[in-house]
């Protein structure tokens, strides 16, 4: 009788020796970059939502009533309050959002001694989303290696760990920072194979996460919706229906929360928020807007986000939906929810945080495919969409202007990086050296890009102030 295999070994079964050290190194790197001067970019005055969420939870903990700031006219008891030099209309009961994320960050502030709303600081609350972003990175790698393979998944999480736009937006106190690991956890609990019965514990965990998500933020209903669509394509009708029901129960819990404090006020808040919806252009803005000027990343462009959407389009065109359904349907479902319910998406880059890991995994897949297959067109996309947005803020800051290099130098650089890969289909016959050369050039470009991501993220405060 052989002894039971340790749990850690079972968990790592099938992993290559390099995977765990590479993943741990990536997580440490992500922590370092996100905690590096994490109160400087952005300043606490740039995004009032950070205080809004915290006051909600702090009010519940210290006074038994949710507080927050709001400009909605339906609140008749607004009290002017100036914090960090900024004016706010303090209201209660604050019923704009469900309470779970507010309790998390408000609890963190309370544990560090904050009792009054004016005592909350960025140092108290930003570790919460920062740590959640690292948990999301870990879960994203587990999901990515399952769907795309280990090397593309590692490239995706490396990009997410180091990209300056991701670093600056993921350190901010927004409920999407909790929705991201909830969504990833739910997708990891989806059964691997369409055949057979899911494990009971996994099914229960999946349903719990679907129910919890709407109590984090109402857009969390997309977790249940995206999971249900995946399960329907697997032929798991009962579990799909149960997931939708769990999402509805979570939404009903939010309604009960509103009724607990003031149902009439709650219905007026919901009705008023309905008038702020962006409209049918929501999905376009969600994908293409630069998330500024009032947005969290302050017009700091995110080319990897766009590259991930291009990769999703490519996989759909290649009819690989079954392969990437765990990524595609949740991304698209969340985008539709944003279109239906969100407001002024172009101003609020943090809406993307919930699906950031999924989109970055797709960007990593495209980058890996372009380099390893010496795919010229893909490499050109990686360089022109992803690499340029990594290099531009780093090079533009000392110049105090947009980065506009000499076009001939730019052509020469592109020829060195992409030229060998573009030549592979025509010159590879009889020239066995051209494909390794193309891979080396692409790998060098990706390495330089990651280095530029790292350098820009270490200088985010200065870069952010110059935008």
């Amino acid at each position: 009788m052989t002894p039971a295999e340790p749990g850690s070994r079972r968990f790592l079964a099938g992993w290559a020796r390099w995977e765990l050290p590479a993943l741990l190194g990536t997580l440490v790197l992500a922590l370092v970059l996100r905690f590096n001067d994490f109160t400087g970019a952005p300043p606490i005055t740039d995004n009032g939502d950070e205080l809004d969420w915290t006051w909600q939870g702090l009010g519940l903990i210290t006074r038994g009533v949710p507080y927050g700031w709001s400009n909605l006219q339906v609140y008749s008891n607004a009290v002017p309050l100036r914090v960090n030099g900024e004016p706010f209309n303090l209201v209660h009961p604050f019923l704009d959002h469900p309470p779970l994320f507010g309790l998390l960050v408000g609890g963190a502030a309370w544990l560090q001694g904050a009792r009054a709303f004016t005592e909350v600081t960025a140092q108290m609350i930003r570790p919460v989303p920062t740590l959640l972003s690292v948990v999301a990175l870990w879960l994203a790698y587990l999901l990515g290696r399952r769907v795309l393979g280990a090397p593309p998944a590692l490239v995706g999480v490396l990009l997410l760990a180091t990209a300056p736009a991701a670093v600056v937006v993921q350190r901010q106190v927004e409920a999407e920072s909790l929705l991201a690991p909830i969504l990833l956890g739910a997708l990891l609990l989806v059964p691997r194979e369409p055949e057979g019965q899911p494990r009971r514990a996994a099914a229960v965990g999946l349903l719990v996460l679907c129910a919890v998500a709407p109590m984090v933020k109402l857009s969390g209903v997309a977790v249940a919706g995206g999971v249900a669509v995946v399960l329907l394509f697997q032929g798991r009708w009962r579990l799909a229906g149960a997931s939708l029901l769990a999402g509805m129960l979570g939404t009903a819990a939010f309604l009960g929360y509103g009724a607990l404090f003031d149902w009439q006020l709650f219905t007026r808040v919901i009705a008023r928020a309905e008038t702020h919806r962006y409209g049918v252009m929501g999905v376009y803005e969600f994908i293409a807007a630069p998330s500024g000027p009032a947005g969290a990343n302050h017009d700091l462009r995110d080319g990897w986000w766009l590259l991930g959407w291009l990769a999703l389009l490519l996989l759909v065109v290649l009819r690989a939906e079954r392969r990437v359904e765990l990524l595609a349907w949740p991304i698209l479902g969340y985008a539709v929810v944003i279109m239906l319910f969100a407001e002024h998406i172009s101003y609020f880059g943090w809406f993307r945080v919930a699906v950031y890991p999924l989109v970055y995994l797709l960007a990593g897949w495209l980058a890996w495919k372009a380099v390893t297959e010496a795919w010229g067109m893909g490499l050109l996309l990686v360089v022109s969409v992803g690499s340029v947005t990594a290099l531009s803020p780093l090079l533009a800051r000392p110049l105090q202007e947009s980065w506009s290099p000499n076009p001939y130098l730019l052509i020469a650089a592109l020829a060195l990086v992409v030229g060998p890969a573009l030549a592979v289909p025509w010159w590879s016959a009889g020239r066995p050296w051209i494909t390794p050369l193309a891979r080396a050039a692409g790998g060098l470009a990706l390495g330089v890009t990651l280095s530029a991501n790292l350098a820009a993220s270490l200088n985010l405060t200065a870069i952010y102030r110059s935008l």
Side-chain angles (χ1 to χ4, degrees):
M1 184 174 179
T2 58
E5 188 178 9
S8 60
R9 292 183 182 178
R10 289 198 304 269
F11 176 74
L12 297 176
W15 284 46
R17 290 184 177 181
W18 59 266
E19 285 188 68
L20 184 58
L23 176 59
L24 291 177
T26 301
L27 298 181
V28 170
L29 182 61
L31 269 176
V32 170
L33 293 179
R34 282 155 179 76
F35 273 113
N36 176 56
D37 197 16
F38 69 108
T39 63
I44 191 67
T45 53
D46 194 60
N47 179 8
D49 278 10
E50 297 193 88
L51 295 175
D52 211 12
W53 288 109
T54 309
W55 292 348
Q56 180 192 35
L58 192 60
L60 281 166
I61 293 169
T62 60
R63 308 183 186 190
V65 178
Y67 279 72
W69 66 264
S70 179
N71 293 321
L72 295 180
Q73 298 301 314
V74 297
Y75 291 103
S76 59
N77 61 349
V79 176
L81 179 68
R82 185 168 290 272
V83 180
N84 300 319
E86 298 293 321
F88 296 95
N89 294 320
L90 187 67
V91 301
H92 73 281
F94 174 74
L95 299 177
D96 286 31
H97 297 297
L100 287 188
F101 183 69
L103 283 169
L104 183 62
V105 291
W110 183 83
L111 288 173
Q112 295 173 80
R115 297 296 182 268
F117 301 132
T118 54
E119 295 173 350
V120 175
T121 65
Q123 289 91 336
M124 292 178 176
I125 57 178
R126 284 190 180 170
V128 173
T130 297
L131 293 173
L132 287 172
S133 74
V134 176
V135 172
L137 274 169
W138 169 57
L139 296 175
Y141 181 76
L142 298 181
L143 183 66
R145 78 181 303 276
R146 172 175 162 182
V147 177
L148 303 170
L154 182 64
V155 174
V157 296
L158 264 173
L159 292 173
L160 183 57
T162 59
V167 170
V168 77
V169 76
Q170 283 191 316
R171 62 170 52 147
Q172 295 177 83
V173 179
E174 292 289 349
E176 284 77 8
S177 63
L178 180 54
L179 282 181
I182 287 176
L183 174 59
L184 290 164
L187 294 174
L188 283 167
L189 291 173
V190 169
R192 289 176 177 267
E193 302 296 335
E195 300 82 14
Q197 292 299 317
R199 290 180 299 172
R200 179 172 296 180
V204 170
L206 174 63
L207 297 179
V208 168
L209 291 175
C210 288
V212 165
M215 284 297 287
V216 174
K217 194 172 183 179
L218 197 53
S219 56
V221 297
V223 173
V227 165
V229 173
V230 172
L231 291 169
L232 286 174
F233 272 88
Q234 288 186 350
R236 300 182 184 276
W237 302 92
R238 292 176 61 184
L239 189 54
S243 299
L244 287 174
L245 179 60
M248 293 170 61
L249 289 175
T251 305
F254 179 38
L255 299 179
Y257 168 80
L260 178 65
F261 290 101
D262 190 328
W263 177 252
Q264 291 185 348
L265 174 61
F266 180 68
T267 55
R268 291 198 300 270
V269 169
I270 296 299
R272 183 60 178 167
E274 180 73 10
T275 65
H276 288 186
R277 291 189 303 112
Y278 191 86
V280 294
M281 290 291 288
V283 171
Y284 171 82
E285 294 291 342
F286 181 65
I287 298 171
S291 301
N297 63 21
H298 212 71
D299 274 344
L300 188 59
R301 305 299 200 272
D302 190 351
W304 302 114
W305 165 264
L306 291 177
L307 192 69
W309 282 94
L310 292 174
L312 177 59
L313 176 62
L314 174 63
L315 285 167
V316 170
V317 170
L318 293 176
R319 302 189 66 80
E321 296 96 331
R322 292 303 296 270
R323 176 185 173 191
V324 295
E325 62 187 11
L326 281 175
L327 307 180
W329 284 115
I331 293 172
L332 295 172
Y334 184 78
V336 170
V337 168
I338 292 298
M339 177 188 74
L340 294 175
F341 298 110
E343 55 176 309
H344 301 295
I345 295 130
S346 60
Y347 291 156
F348 305 135
W350 55 79
F351 284 164
R352 300 171 175 173
V353 169
V355 291
Y356 242 23
L358 303 181
V359 176
Y360 265 76
L361 283 174
L362 292 169
W365 169 81
L366 182 55
W368 177 257
K369 180 180 176 67
V371 171
T372 57
E373 297 184 8
W375 178 30
M377 189 174 296
L379 190 58
L380 185 60
L381 277 175
V382 171
V383 172
S384 59
V385 176
S387 300
V388 166
T389 55
L391 289 164
S392 291
L394 188 65
L395 298 178
R397 186 178 67 84
L399 300 176
Q400 295 297 310
E401 60 184 19
S402 298
W403 181 43
S404 300
N406 184 291
Y408 300 106
L409 291 177
L410 187 59
I411 291 171
L414 286 173
L416 287 174
V417 172
V418 183
L422 292 174
V424 165
W426 313 102
W427 288 7
S428 57
R431 298 178 179 85
W433 50 267
I434 189 69
T435 299
L437 177 63
R439 289 173 180 160
L444 178 62
L446 189 57
V448 170
T449 299
L450 288 170
S451 299
N453 273 350
L454 181 63
S457 293
L458 286 171
N459 290 276
L460 263 177
T461 300
I463 291 172
Y464 191 85
R465 289 171 180 167
S466 68
L467 292 173

